[in-house]
Amino acid sequence: MNPYLFGYLGAAILLLSGLSLTRKNPVHAVLYMIVMFFHLAVLYLGLGAEFLAAVQIIVYAGAILVLFLFVIMVLNIKEEMEGERFSVGWPFGISIAAGLFLLVVLITGNIVPGRQGAYTPGVIAAQTNTKLVGTLLYTQYILPFEIASLILLVAVVGAIVLAKKKLR
Amino acid sequence: MVPLQWYIWLSVALFTTGVFGFLTRRSIIMMFLSIEVMLNAVNLSLVSFAHFLNGLRGQVLALFVIAVAASEAAIGLAILIALFRNRATAQIEEVTEMKG
């Protein structure tokens, strides 16, 4: 990927997520987050993950954040926006975040990539990324795939049970 | 050509933004949004490792992370609706029965 494009995308992602997480109005926060997810999808495209970029836009920006917007609409947003934005312990939180950042950056400074896999860009270009990911999902990762479907089923049932007014 | 470290550092910066939001915001909705940011940071590092190691495992794993994030959002927001119905609040500091 072009370093300038990476610089723009990285700066935009960090700026948008920072803006999003400090907004008072949750609707504005979700809208900033949607723009951030689109930038992340472009970054995935640059990394050769076309299928994931599409899933990022469809599932994250299209489904999960719309779910957030729905719930914000159900809740009383006026009350939500009154009072303090941050809790009293915010210097504590910011120091924990900065410490974590320094720790991981120090650790990953001299990272050495491991053994190279078989999916070189040439192989992926010949078979397309989506087909290869699908083949892997339905052969080698079939058990985790089924477990993921079970998790989604449990989530659907659980969400209905939790949000229902009265269970008969 | 952008090296692997840049992607990892971007991912770490995004993750710490999420940690900051999760630890400091009072509203439960904003805490859920912070969790989504953290999950996306992990996805970014998985995809970049997959790219630089010529593999596809990272991408498959990122798909599972997205599935788990979707179910987490559904369950969490349902809990939030139930909480709001019983307490009429979505502020984390007003829900302190467990004294945690």
Side-chain angles (χ1 to χ4, degrees), chain B residues 58-99:
Chain B
Q59 294 187 19
V60 174
L61 209 51
L63 272 176
F64 291 135
V65 171
I66 288 179
V68 171
S71 40
E72 173 261 337
I75 293 279
L77 292 173
I79 291 177
L80 182 57
I81 288 178
L83 182 76
F84 194 77
R85 187 181 297 135
N86 290 324
R87 296 295 178 75
T89 181
Q91 306 285 312
I92 196 73
E93 284 165 5
E94 294 176 31
V95 190
T96 53
E97 262 67 36
M98 290 181 75
K99 305 286 180 204

Side-chain angles (χ1 to χ4, degrees), chain A residues 32-102:
Chain A
Y32 276 120
M33 194 73 78
I34 289 178
V35 182
M36 193 271 268
F37 283 168
F38 272 91
H39 282 81
L40 215 51
V42 177
L43 210 53
Y44 287 169
L45 277 182
L47 286 168
E50 292 93 2
F51 182 64
L52 259 182
V55 166
Q56 173 84 8
I57 290 175
I58 296 169
V59 173
Y60 256 116
I64 297 185
L65 288 186
V66 170
L67 187 68
F68 271 92
L69 282 179
F70 263 118
V71 172
I72 292 169
M73 268 179 7
V74 170
L75 304 185
N76 189 355
I77 195 169
K78 287 254 169 54
E79 232 168 67
E80 192 71 15
M81 283 163 60
E82 284 168 7
E84 284 295 308
R85 229 178 290 183
F86 298 106
S87 62
V88 252
W90 66 266
F92 182 66
I94 218 170
S95 51
I96 281 191
L100 190 66
F101 179 74
L102 283 179

Side-chain angles (χ1 to χ4, degrees), chain B residues 13 26 29 32 47 56 62 70-71 85 89 98:
Chain B
R26 289 182 171 207
I29 298 176
F32 275 126
V47 175
L56 280 180
S71 40
R85 187 181 297 135
T89 181
M98 290 181 75

Side-chain angles (χ1 to χ4, degrees), chain A residues 21 23 80 87 117 141 163, chain B residues 24-25 27 53-54 57 85:
Chain A
L21 294 183
R23 286 311 91 186
E80 192 71 15
S87 62
Y141 292 93
Chain B
T24 55
R25 291 303 298 253
S27 156
L53 292 179
N54 283 339
R57 278 192 194 156
R85 187 181 297 135

Side-chain angles (χ1 to χ4, degrees), chain A residues 159-168, chain B residues 81-82 85-86:
Chain A
I160 294 172
V161 168
L162 281 169
K164 212 164 156 78
K165 261 208 177 107
K166 224 176 229 167
L167 287 177
R168 293 177 189 281
Chain B
I81 288 178
R85 187 181 297 135
N86 290 324

